[in-house]
Amino acid sequence: MVTRRFALILLAGLPLPALLPAPWIGLLLVAGFAVFVAVLDVFVAGPLTAVRLTRSGDRTVWLGGTATVTLTATNTGRRPLRLHVRDSWVPSAGAWPAQHDVFLPRGAHRALEVKLNPVRHGDRPAVLVTLRSLGPFGVAYRQRGRKWNASVSPPWVLRVLPHFPSRRILPEKLARMRVIEGSAVTRGRGAGTEFDALREYVIGDDVRSIDWRASARHNDVMVRTWRPERDRRVICVIDTGRTSAARVGDAPRLDAAIDAALLLAVLATRADDRVDLFALDAVVRARVSSSGKMDRLIDAMAALTPAPDETDWTALASALLRRDQKRSLVVIFTALEPAPIVEGLLPLLRRLTARHQVVVAGVRDPAVSRAAVLPSAPPPDSSSVPPAAITAADVHLAAAAQRVLTERDRVREVLTRFGAIVVDEDAGAFAGRVADVYLLLKATGRL
């Protein structure tokens, strides 16, 4: 294969035939010289079979961070090599630089660093590496493989963990949880508590806590004290169906759900609660139990992507309505839209709330709330600049946005009547609101 220098040689020799009596002979001479140089360049260029490629570097990175992966090229042959290396990744990996020029003496190796700034979470694989061995004149080259675009690539996959912006409010939520756990040590809170110890009865104790057998043994009135239960179960259900692909701000709705689920999972794990993940659309995408470790949960969330299918909630119902299922806190992250809620989740919600404490959490698009409000005119005596005239398109847009908000309010009311706690919040405060509901349930002894 030839490079641009081959064309430059031909262009530089074009004036020569005009000086000769037979121009066509000059053209043949120029073309023959260029071909001779190209053939000589290919013959002198080192063989690519002597190049060995390996990779090393980061395997995981949080979305928004930078990872470094090193491609090491080793010359195992007897001749030096002038290489042009093109390291290609999927576009969403944000790899830079993509091309490297390197000289490899015999037996030498060179490390070529690639910086990755991914723009989406999930697995970002290396696609291919194209190698070209250039001759000393840079006119022609050898390329690995039979085809011009043949390539080889050492396997490497970068796992991009989901964005976790609510991490900044995690210390404040943990401090509140410690306060709640400290106040819950005052015995006797809630009906679902574990036995702790016996003590003498004092005025104000619940008479239902009196242990009559222990009172007979001690010749005094003894009451049972209780402590908050540990090893509660929190199940994060993430809807990855078509509604999760809707954009809220500059990110899909699914990203806000993953962020809130991560914050909730960290809080529950610190409280010694068991956290499970259940992600589904038309099929079950993930079903993971953290067992006190967040790594498996985070990896499972990183692989979640929206699917263009309606969510089938029957799989969730069959998993949560088993006979041996312990009462749990089930947090369902989905869109609060009438059609998918009424046709999919609502028929199963009554049975779910009878067995579990259910929270339905949906992200609200602040753009819809802004569009529902028409700009108002200033008072007549105001010196401010009057707003632009309101057009018919503005009125229609506001009416449509208001209708969406009204339907959302009706969905929230129906879910509440069916016994679920509803979280309907903008993306910026969504994760914090879900965490507040969890802390409130623990503070009131309902979890």
Side-chain angles (χ1 to χ4, degrees), residues 2-275:
V2 295
T3 64
R4 294 179 181 178
R5 291 189 181 183
F6 182 82
L8 293 178
I9 292 176
L10 290 178
L11 291 176
L14 287 180
L16 182 61
L19 303 178
L20 299 177
W24 61 273
I25 297 179
L27 289 175
L28 289 178
L29 290 176
V30 172
F33 176 75
V35 171
F36 172 76
V37 173
V39 172
L40 181 64
D41 223 19
V42 172
F43 180 77
V44 178
L48 288 171
T49 55
V51 180
R52 183 167 56 89
L53 299 175
T54 57
R55 288 191 190 273
S56 61
D58 299 329
R59 288 283 187 179
T60 60
V61 64
W62 287 95
L63 183 62
T66 301
T68 302
V69 177
T70 302
L71 177 68
T72 303
T74 305
N75 183 6
T76 60
R78 299 180 179 180
R79 298 166 59 182
L81 294 171
R82 294 178 57 203
L83 295 178
H84 178 78
V85 183
R86 183 181 180 88
D87 190 5
S88 300
W89 293 67
V90 293
S92 57
W96 184 90
Q99 302 181 28
H100 308 267
D101 292 315
V102 61
F103 176 73
L104 283 179
R106 48 184 287 183
H109 63 273
R110 292 290 184 271
L112 311 176
E113 284 193 353
V114 177
K115 300 292 184 181
L116 302 172
N117 297 285
V119 296
R120 293 171 55 191
H121 63 82
D123 291 337
R124 298 291 168 259
V127 178
L128 52 87
V129 176
T130 303
L131 296 176
R132 289 181 177 179
S133 177
L134 300 172
F137 303 109
V139 175
Y141 59 86
R142 297 183 182 184
Q143 185 159 311
R144 189 163 186 171
R146 297 178 181 178
K147 298 181 180 180
W148 287 9
N149 60 348
S151 309
V152 63
S153 178
W156 196 268
V157 177
L158 179 69
R159 172 61 62 89
V160 184
L161 304 180
H163 194 35
F164 191 16
S166 61
R167 186 187 307 175
R168 67 184 186 278
I169 63 175
L170 180 58
E172 183 261 334
K173 303 301 180 184
L174 289 174
R176 285 185 54 190
M177 186 179 65
R178 287 191 293 267
V179 172
I180 292 172
E181 290 182 340
S183 62
V185 175
T186 58
R187 314 302 188 194
R189 179 180 296 276
T193 54
E194 294 180 349
F195 172 74
D196 183 30
L198 290 171
R199 62 171 175 81
E200 296 181 358
Y201 174 85
V202 297
I203 298 176
D205 286 337
D206 190 350
V207 296
R208 292 175 296 180
S209 299
I210 297 177
D211 190 325
W212 297 107
R213 292 185 178 181
S215 300
R217 290 195 302 267
H218 291 81
N219 295 323
D220 199 353
V221 180
M222 306 296 294
V223 296
R224 295 187 178 191
T225 57
W226 312 89
R227 64 175 176 228
E229 288 188 21
R230 295 290 183 175
D231 195 25
R232 295 298 188 111
R233 191 179 185 193
V234 178
I235 304 175
C236 297
V237 181
I238 299 181
D239 179 9
T240 58
R242 64 171 184 83
T243 58
S244 66
R247 308 289 292 187
V248 178
D250 57 351
R253 180 181 282 125
L254 179 63
D255 288 7
I258 291 176
D259 176 40
L262 279 174
L263 180 62
L264 177 60
V266 173
L267 286 176
T269 302
R270 296 288 181 89
D272 294 332
D273 291 337
R274 176 183 172 185
V275 183

Side-chain angles (χ1 to χ4, degrees), residues 233 235 237 278 287 313-328 330 332 344-358:
R233 191 179 185 193
I235 304 175
V237 181
F278 201 94
R287 188 173 183 179
W313 295 101
T314 56
L316 175 65
S318 61
L320 297 183
L321 297 178
R322 295 179 299 180
R323 292 178 179 269
D324 59 343
Q325 189 71 41
K326 183 180 178 181
R327 183 173 178 84
S328 310
V330 180
I332 302 175
L345 182 59
L346 205 58
L348 309 171
L349 191 59
R350 185 77 73 181
R351 289 187 292 163
L352 289 177
T353 54
R355 185 73 64 87
H356 304 284
Q357 177 69 64
V358 178

